[in-house]
Structure formats: C-alpha cells, structure tokens
Amino acid sequence: MSEFDARPPTLAFLGVAVAAALVVLPVAVGSTAGLVLAGPGAAAVVFGARSATRSYVTLGGTLAFLGVAVAAATGLPTALTLIAGVAALVAYDTGEHAVTLGVDVGADAAVAQSVAVHTAGSVAVASLAAALGFGIYQFGPTSLPVTGLIALLFAAVFLAYVLGD
C-alpha cells in the first residue's frame, strides 16, 4: 500500500488556474494599478491550491479581489470588473476546495463530480451576487458615493469568507 499523498488532485487544481487567469486578463486590459495586486494574488491562489497551503489561497484571493477593486476604482469598465470579481471569488473558493480535497481524499482520488458541482455552485453564487450588485449600481440611488460601493464590495468578500468557515 502506498503512502497517503495530501496534495490536491490535479483536476481540482485546474479550475483554480482557469479562474485565476480570468481574474488577471480583464484587469490587465484596463488597469496597471489593479494588475499590481491581482497578478500576484492570482499566482498565490494557484500556488496555494497546488501546494495545499490555505494561507496562500487566502492571501492570494484577498490580493486578487483587492486588485479588482483597485482596477474598478481606476476606471476598469463595469463588465470587465464583474468578470474579474466573479473570477476572484471563484478562484478563492475553488482553491479552498482543492486544498480540502487534498487533505480529505488525497491526490489520487477520483474527484471529477465533486469538482464540477462545487465549481458550478461557486460560479452560480458569485454570478448572482455580481448581478445583484450590478442591479443596485444600475438602478439604485445615484447619490451613493463610489467609496460606499467599494465598502459594500469589501463587506461582501468578508461575508463570503465568514460563511465559508
């Protein structure tokens, strides 16, 4: 019998890599300042998911999301901001799931269904939150300052973090 390998299965890691790329690409198109945070953040999420290190996943997810917020504040178009924001949340969530799979079932386990269901759920929840936020932005009060929207964005990230634990 072979020794237990607590690294995440390769299939679990691939979703994290795709989501991390979808954070960086929209931000790179529109904001150098946002890219300074989102690039290393996405890399840290991918590294943390591959090496089964939750602290890197958390740090990377935070930096990626902060990069998206900075990009939005410096003029990134709304559609690109929403894509990158959803991708940042999905990268973080799927990264955490990858680490959990590694610890619970190991690198050699068959996890295709678990990864597919978790990723689809993560994309659905993040997309719904983005749609709700866009609806408030589009149809809500026009006197709300940008700082208030950014504060709500950070509150949403904190809520997602708390609910995930």
Side-chain angles (χ1 to χ4, degrees), residues 4 7 14 17 19 24 27 29 33 44 64 70 87 90 98 104 110 123 132 134 141 150 157 159:
F4 182 74
R7 289 177 301 150
L14 291 177
V24 173
V27 172
V29 167
V70 167
V90 170
D104 289 348
V123 168
L132 181 63
F134 181 71
I150 291 174
V157 171
L159 179 64

Side-chain angles (χ1 to χ4, degrees), residues 19-20 22-23 45 60-61 64-66 68 82-93:
L22 287 175
V23 172
V45 169
F65 200 81
L66 285 173
V68 173
L82 291 174
I83 291 167
V86 166
L89 290 173
V90 170
Y92 167 75
D93 190 47

Side-chain angles (χ1 to χ4, degrees), residues 26-31 68 70-82 84:
V27 172
V29 167
S31 173
V68 173
V70 167
T74 58
L76 187 67
T78 305
L80 294 178
T81 300
L82 291 174

Side-chain angles (χ1 to χ4, degrees), residues 118-148:
H118 188 87
T119 303
S122 181
V123 168
V125 169
S127 297
L128 183 63
L132 181 63
F134 181 71
I136 292 170
Y137 170 76
Q138 193 69 27
F139 303 111
T142 57
S143 63
L144 189 63
V146 173
T147 339

Side-chain angles (χ1 to χ4, degrees), residues 25 34 59 92 115 121 139:
L25 293 175
L59 175 65
Y92 167 75
V115 169
F139 303 111

